[in-house]
Amino acid sequence: MTTAAEIMHPGAEWIPATETLDRAAQLMRRFDVGALPISDAEERMCGILTDRDIVVGCVAAGHDPSHMTAGDMAHGTPRWIDSGADVSDVLQEMQSHRIRRLPVVRDKRLVGMISEADLSHHLTDDQMATFVESVCSTT
């Protein structure tokens, strides 16, 4: 059984909900990532901020990223998976919610992130095609 811990990219970092979007963009550049889980004051995940959120939800909408916060962009219920979960559970979670990045948690602590790129190294071509079709299709 392949687990989430075996396929994740380790060392994911939180961004506090109070942090500005310009700082979030700087962190994304420094860590070479396209998404950061957002934490509330109690270090609970309250959302995920993507580079697309910053561009489309802030900059393209005419807002100032030095005044908007990560918390301003946190919408919906954040999804995550336990580090011991089987890869089939990872796929089910990502496909059923049509998400491309999934935080991995162990003992209520963020330990990594699973992205499409991480999946591509551990899935068959057929599994990857099914994943891409279900998550990335516009219909």
Side-chain angles (χ1 to χ4, degrees):
M1 166 176 103
T2 302
T3 66
E6 293 171 310
I7 63 174
M8 72 180 188
H9 182 84
E13 298 286 333
W14 293 107
I15 185 162
T18 56
E19 193 65 76
T20 60
L21 297 184
D22 61 341
R23 179 70 179 132
Q26 292 166 1
L27 290 172
M28 287 180 186
R29 181 183 63 206
R30 184 169 80 184
F31 298 135
D32 193 27
V33 298
L36 294 168
I38 304 168
S39 68
D40 64 15
E42 287 80 40
E43 291 194 0
R44 292 178 305 210
M45 187 168 48
C46 61
I48 294 181
L49 178 67
T50 67
D51 47 7
R52 187 175 194 283
D53 293 333
I54 295 170
V55 172
V56 175
C58 178
V59 177
H63 301 293
D64 183 348
S66 66
H67 290 100
M68 284 189 76
T69 66
D72 293 335
M73 303 300 286
H75 305 289
T77 303
R79 309 305 307 179
W80 56 272
I81 195 109
D82 185 83
S83 63
D86 183 74
V87 68
S88 62
D89 296 327
V90 170
L91 286 172
Q92 174 61 34
E93 186 70 15
M94 293 176 82
Q95 289 173 321
S96 66
H97 297 286
R98 297 189 69 183
I99 55 177
R100 298 176 188 206
R101 299 171 180 103
L102 186 63
V104 180
V105 175
R106 180 182 302 127
D107 299 325
K108 299 183 181 181
R109 292 282 185 219
L110 179 69
V111 294
M113 185 82 79
I114 297 174
S115 69
E116 292 170 279
D118 298 317
L119 289 175
S120 71
H121 298 294
H122 298 277
L123 299 179
T124 66
D125 289 345
D126 288 341
Q127 286 174 311
M128 197 64 202
T130 300
F131 172 80
V132 169
E133 183 179 328
S134 66
V135 172
C136 302
S137 70
T138 57
T139 58

